[in-house]
Amino acid sequence: MNKKVILISSLPILFFLAIGFALFFGLSEDKSLPSNLIGKTASKLPETTLPGYKTIPVDAITIPKIKIINFWASWCGPCRAEHPNIEELAKLDINVYGVNIKDDSSSAIKFLTKLGNPYDGIGTDKNGKIAIDWGVYGVPETFILDKLGKVIYRHPGPITKKILDTRIAPLILSNQ
């Protein structure tokens, strides 16, 4: 009888452990939606910027250099978490452009003032139209463009140190 009570009382613990393992291993796989922009010339970028910041150059996509386009917002927790890694990307010999999406200008400026501005130019996408053209479905989302302005990589979600070191940096180095 005592063993039966112990077994029954252990079932909820075993159940939650099983769910925890399933979530851990299921969420650790890369199951991101593919971008239909891979291999195509990137869409246009915003022409407006935050007050006091450099705009994204009109010819940014065609500059013969590797480019990073990072869609972000001040209200986005994962954007805050990935920001140090965007700063690391900015130290490389590439152009890093930020597109601030559906955000209040003063909040975006406070975000950059507090965390730093790693961007070579910033565009604002108040209504999300530019993001839709890029196929963005959430922030943060980052695209790598080759020297010809073609999309070679898309990363939905925050760029972690591991992703930076194992995926993005090698891709940038192999395309320079």
Side-chain angles (χ1 to χ4, degrees), residues 1-12:
M1 177 82 174
N2 206 6
K3 288 182 183 180
K4 192 173 184 180
V5 170
I6 291 173
L7 179 64
I8 291 172
S9 64
S10 300
L11 287 177

Side-chain angles (χ1 to χ4, degrees), residues 36-155:
N36 61 358
L37 291 179
I38 301 293
K40 296 180 183 171
T41 301
S43 296
K44 71 175 189 165
L45 292 166
E47 297 174 6
T48 58
T49 192
L50 298 170
Y53 288 87
K54 288 178 16 185
T55 61
I56 298 174
V58 175
D59 63 345
I61 291 173
T62 58
I63 293 171
K65 195 174 189 178
I66 299 291
K67 295 149 287 272
I68 301 279
I69 312 298
N70 176 245
F71 288 83
W72 65 279
S74 65
W75 45 262
C76 163
C79 297
R80 188 173 300 275
E82 85 166 350
H83 199 78
N85 295 315
I86 299 297
E87 289 180 315
E88 287 300 312
L89 283 170
K91 293 176 184 174
L92 301 175
D93 185 29
I94 59 174
N95 290 332
V96 180
Y97 301 113
V99 178
N100 181 249
I101 180 172
K102 294 184 176 182
D103 206 352
D104 174 69
S105 293
S106 62
S107 297
I109 291 168
K110 285 178 190 173
F111 179 97
L112 293 171
T113 301
K114 182 176 181 182
L115 300 177
N117 178 16
Y119 302 112
D120 295 304
I122 298 173
T124 55
D125 186 13
K126 292 281 187 198
N127 62 10
K129 171 78 173 89
I130 302 283
I132 290 170
D133 293 343
W134 278 75
V136 172
Y137 62 88
V139 287
E141 196 156 325
T142 304
F143 295 83
I144 300 176
L145 281 56
D146 68 9
K147 294 177 183 178
L148 302 174
K150 293 184 188 241
V151 177
I152 57 174
Y153 182 75
R154 169 188 165 262
H155 183 77

